[in-house]
Each structure stands twice: as structure tokens, then as C-alpha cells.
Amino acid sequence: QLQLQESGPGLVKPSGTLSLTCTVSGGSLSTSDYYWGWLRQPPGKRLEWIGSAYSSGSTYYNPSLKSRVTISMDTSKRQFSLNLTSVAAADTAVYYCAKLRISTAVAVDWGQGTLVTVAS
Amino acid sequence: DIKMTQSPSSVSASVGDSVTITCRASQPITKWLAWYQQKPGRAPKLLIYLTSDLQSGVPSRFSGSGSGTDFTLTISSLQPEDFATYYCQEANSFPSFSFGGGTKVEIK
């Protein structure tokens, strides 16, 4: 059974860089028909797509975050990562990694989520 | 950007009731609409994709319908485990996609 697990610091200082890694077990990152993505949910607010990556190296980002986001993949380690630069309090959220099925355009598997707080 | 508006924002219902949640897109999205269930402190769970297709393992009391800009999720005969927050998600421009604001189904 596929499992995704987020890891990284739970506290980031304003203007710093938020870095998270998602480790996938029970499956391969090279599976066709799937993207690997990051989403977030600020406290009490709606879910927001951050960006996605394909095993070929192609990446896609939310236009509202594009200037600050980088997603990279390491298929040999079964990991993909998120870097978000110049963070502010508005970036405080639960961050999820997810497996996205391309043919039906949905997130079929999710990590448990990790709370990242931006504060000094 | 496509904006998704859900209504109501919350609904109170009893076990055994039928509940309908509505999601409206700011522009036509044909069939590219999904529904998720989220319980407190947990990741969302996919229920329905492509407007009306049930994800494997999801009970048949969940159903979806709609097209264009207006979509609905119906839960017939609410069960105790169904009390949660439900989100719609559009994917008309996948890999870019967005979510509605959520509908909390509470116990009356």
C-alpha cells in the first residue's frame, strides 16, 4: 500500500526558506499517469495547490506562488521536495504531499500533513 | 483563475438524513469536478471524481452530479462517520486546480 510522509522543520523564520521532503513507500515515483504534488491548508481556510512534478522532471506551479516555489524529485530515493522562499506569516499552514492521478485530475493519496509555522 | 463557491458553509443533520452540498464554478468546467471528505486533523480523502464517479472503497450513499458550472454532492442516509468537512475541487486546467471553501456537516 502506497504511503507518503512529509518531513521538515515545523518552524521557519520570516523571510526564510521553507523546505519539506515527501518520502514515498510502497510504490515508485516513476509511475506513469501520476504527478507528485504539494498542497497546503492555512488554519481554518481552504486547501490550496502549490505545485506538481512529473518523473520526467517537468514541473507546474500555482501562478500566485510561482516566483517563490521549487519542486524537485529524486526518484532513486523515492522522494520529492518543496522549497518556498521569502516566507511570511501567511505561509503558515499544514502542508501535504500527494499523488495526483493525471487521467482524472485528482489527488488519490495524501501524506498525513505537517504544520509549518512562520514566526520569529 | 477559476473560483469555486460551496454552499452552505455548514449544515446540521441527523443520522439517517439526506444531505446535499452545492459547488458552483466561476466558469464552465465540463466534468472536471471532484469531492473530498476531511475529518479534523486528517488529510482529505477522495470520494468522487469526474463529477459522478465513485472512488474505489467509497460507500454508495455518496453520489455526485452536475455539469458546466453547477455541481452537487449528495449523502443519502447519513452515518456517524460522515460528519466531516467536504470540499469540491475543479481541474479544468489540470495540472492547475483549486478548491471550494468547504461545507461542514455537523450533528443536529
Side-chain angles (χ1 to χ4, degrees), chain A residues 41 46 49 60 96 105 107 110-111, chain B residues 4 36 38 43 87 89 95 99:
Chain A
Q41 187 172 33
R46 72 179 66 192
W49 170 69
Y60 311 90
Y96 295 100
W110 298 67
Chain B
M4 305 301 291
Y36 298 80
Q38 187 177 35
Y87 292 93
Q89 174 234 314
F99 293 85

Side-chain angles (χ1 to χ4, degrees), chain A residues 9-14 18 87-89 91-93 95 114-120:
Chain A
L11 180 65
V12 181
K13 295 186 185 302
L18 181 159
V87 298
D91 294 309
T92 293
Y95 285 75
T114 186
L115 174 63
V116 179
T117 302
V118 178
S120 54

Side-chain angles (χ1 to χ4, degrees), chain B residues 9-14 19 78 82-84 103-108:
Chain B
S9 57
S10 66
V11 58
S12 295
S14 301
V19 169
L78 267 174
D82 299 336
F83 292 96
T103 296
K104 187 174 184 179
V105 177
E106 300 174 297
I107 301 173
K108 183 182 288 184

Side-chain angles (χ1 to χ4, degrees), chain B residues 18-76:
Chain B
S18 177
V19 169
T20 297
I21 299 168
T22 297
C23 184
R24 175 165 290 174
S26 59
Q27 64 189 68
I29 58 170
T30 59
K31 63 181 179 179
W32 298 102
L33 194 285
W35 292 96
Y36 298 80
Q37 175 194 69
Q38 187 177 35
K39 296 182 178 180
R42 304 288 297 274
K45 171 189 173 184
L46 176 65
L47 299 175
I48 288 172
Y49 58 93
L50 296 176
T51 298
S52 58
D53 290 348
L54 211 59
Q55 175 68 357
S56 175
V58 174
S60 59
R61 62 181 180 272
F62 291 92
S63 63
S65 64
S67 66
T69 60
D70 295 319
F71 301 84
T72 60
L73 171 70
T74 298
I75 312 171
S76 61

